Amino acid sequence: MTVKMNRQILLVKRPSGMPDESDFKLVESPVSTPGEGEVLVETHFLSVDPYMRGRMNELRTNAPQYLLNEVVTGSAVGRITNSRSSLFNPGDFVSGTLAWEDYSVTNEKNLRKVNPLLAPLSSALGILGMPGLTAYFGLLEIGKPQPGETVVVSGAAGAVGTVAGQIAKIMSCRVVGIAGSHRKVKFMLDELGFDAAINYKIPSDIRGSLARACHDGVDVYFDNVGGEISDAVFALINENARIPLCGQISLYNVGQTHGGPRIQSQLLARTALMQGFRIGQFADRFEAARAQLAEWLAQGKIKQSEHIVEGLENTPRALIGLFRGENLGKQLVKVC
Ligand SMILES: NC(=O)c1ccc[n+]([C@@H]2O[C@H](COP(=O)([O-])OP(=O)(O)OC[C@H]3O[C@@H](n4cnc5c(N)ncnc54)[C@H](OP(=O)(O)O)[C@@H]3O)[C@@H](O)[C@H]2O)c1
């Protein structure tokens, strides 16, 4: 009998600055067999996410550190091919924290069933998964957008940003997106219906472009990137502005951050609220939020966009692409 083989991608070196493909290694070993309460999942799509960069560092961030020479873990969707669980049958589609590998053995408690008839399977990693939920709770719970208000989203052509901006449109706000290419600007205006869009990489004054796009100031700033882009937005916040602090991707590959403009006096003068959040804090409300997002998707009120790289072996390249701005929408890797 031929032994079924499993390809896995290990982290073999902690990146210094921007990750490099040589920080990872592809190895092969026989597929494992599930024990009691476990299942074998054939990976269909892997999600690569900015937070993974922090887990590769020597020092622990808000998620557990990846171990060297171990397979990298992350969100994935797949199909069960062998089950020793009473909750799942072979053929079931599931999502959960799996690994950068063709086949994962995992405990039944790590998985959630996915109905591929409700939305394409990959949606469970995008709009109906962590990025969609992050946009939903960050914007609605902390941003609290009101009709007619101006909402600025940075990282606006990415997985979280595209959804945050579209929810703000559903809430009847004026939406201004910031992203890093002309193609992304065109996409935000033509496909997502944003009111204005700014390419922060054009070597002109981002403050001037923002001031023109936000003529009534900024009521909500959904911050995905931090750094100089956010400094420019902070200068325009209105009285009682709300700032959901979602991510700081501009700083993830930077060892030391410079002093930067300090935001406290701006928050004080405008009686504004800035609040960090982690999506896990809303876990008990995920199902209701997912149902709302699925409804908006079915009604055509939200469009989902995905950037799919083919092949498990290209997963490190897909992750690195996030920091180069190669993705438009949710970055995924199609494995099976
Ligand atoms: N708080 C939470 O619970 C939570 C959950 C999920 C995600 N997040 C955070 O949300 C943010 C977006 O995540 P995502 O999954 O949706 O990723 P994403 O936006 O789909 O992909 C990352 C994007 O960031 C932009 N970027 C990369 N380097 C940049 C830089 N130096 N300056 C400005 N923009 C840069 C790139 O677009 P451009 O072409 O526009 O540069 C890239 O496409 C990240 O900061 C992430 O850590 C937070």
Side-chain angles (χ1 to χ4, degrees):
M1 197 178 81
T2 51
V3 179
K4 207 173 195 179
M5 297 301 282
N6 188 26
R7 295 173 305 154
Q8 300 181 306
I9 298 178
L10 316 183
L11 178 73
V12 293
K13 192 150 56 76
R14 302 210 176 275
S16 162
M18 180 75 108
D20 187 86
E21 286 187 58
S22 64
D23 299 330
F24 305 90
K25 184 176 169 192
L26 190 130
V27 296
E28 276 195 52
S29 59
V31 171
S32 306
T33 311
E36 191 55 40
E38 292 183 331
V39 296
L40 179 66
V41 184
E42 174 188 61
T43 312
H44 283 215
F45 289 97
L46 286 172
S47 171
V48 288
D49 295 277
Y51 79 88
M52 293 175 155
R53 175 63 188 86
R55 295 188 64 184
M56 290 171 188
N57 287 337
E58 192 68 60
L59 295 173
R60 192 178 177 280
T61 52
N62 55 27
Q65 181 196 48
Y66 288 131
L67 299 179
L68 282 184
N69 301 310
E70 298 259 328
V71 62
V72 179
T73 55
S75 302
V77 288
R79 191 176 58 93
I80 292 183
T81 57
N82 188 357
S83 175
R84 292 200 56 203
S85 154
S86 55
L87 304 178
F88 298 99
N89 295 314
D92 284 348
F93 287 97
V94 288
S95 77
T97 301
L98 298 175
W100 289 9
E101 58 187 353
D102 293 309
Y103 294 92
S104 292
V105 167
T106 189
N107 191 283
E108 60 190 7
K109 292 187 187 133
N110 297 332
L111 298 173
R112 181 179 74 81
K113 268 189 201 170
V114 174
N115 180 357
L117 303 176
L118 192 67
L121 193 58
S122 55
S123 313
L125 298 175
I127 188 158
L128 302 182
M130 192 258 284
L133 294 167
T134 300
Y136 181 94
F137 286 107
L139 184 72
L140 297 180
E141 292 294 318
I142 299 169
K144 298 190 186 329
Q146 304 301 313
E149 287 191 327
T150 298
V151 176
V152 174
V153 182
S154 57
V160 175
T162 49
V163 182
Q166 291 183 91
I167 297 175
K169 281 308 300 176
I170 293 171
M171 298 295 135
S172 304
C173 296
R174 175 178 163 75
V175 177
V176 179
I178 307 173
S181 72
H182 175 66
R183 181 171 159 246
K184 291 182 180 183
V185 163
K186 199 166 156 25
F187 174 77
M188 288 186 279
L189 294 173
D190 297 349
E191 302 294 327
L192 303 184
F194 291 4
D195 300 280
I198 293 166
N199 177 0
Y200 72 88
K201 286 187 180 159
I202 288 184
S204 64
D205 174 18
I206 182 168
R207 286 173 191 257
S209 311
L210 262 171
R212 282 189 292 281
C214 306
H215 30 75
D216 293 327
V218 176
D219 301 296
V220 179
Y221 172 42
F222 193 100
D223 186 5
N224 279 317
V225 305
E228 289 175 8
I229 295 171
S230 295
D231 291 341
V233 183
F234 295 147
L236 297 172
I237 58 172
N238 286 336
E239 202 74 15
N240 300 322
R242 286 83 65 201
I243 304 171
L245 196 49
C246 178
Q248 299 280 283
I249 193 169
S250 72
L251 308 177
Y252 293 175
N253 292 313
V254 180
Q256 271 191 326
T257 55
H258 68 81
R262 302 212 176 10
I263 173 70
Q264 288 87 332
S265 50
Q266 196 74 6
L267 295 178
L268 181 67
R270 305 279 176 243
T271 61
L273 170 81
M274 183 178 205
Q275 188 179 335
F277 70 98
R278 291 210 304 258
I279 189 52
Q281 75 195 72
F282 300 105
D284 58 339
R285 293 158 62 196
F286 279 178
E287 282 321 308
R290 216 177 253 124
Q292 176 63 85
L293 288 163
E295 189 182 322
W296 283 332
L297 189 62
Q299 292 168 339
K301 291 185 177 171
I302 289 189
K303 290 184 188 167
Q304 65 173 339
S305 35
E306 296 174 336
H307 190 98
I308 298 178
V309 163
E310 299 258 349
L312 176 74
E313 65 282 9
N314 293 318
T315 311
R317 198 177 306 160
L319 176 78
I320 294 165
L322 289 174
F323 301 102
R324 294 192 176 135
E326 288 169 6
N327 61 307
L328 201 162
K330 175 64 196 155
Q331 178 68 65
L332 297 167
V333 179
K334 188 167 191 294
V335 177
C336 174

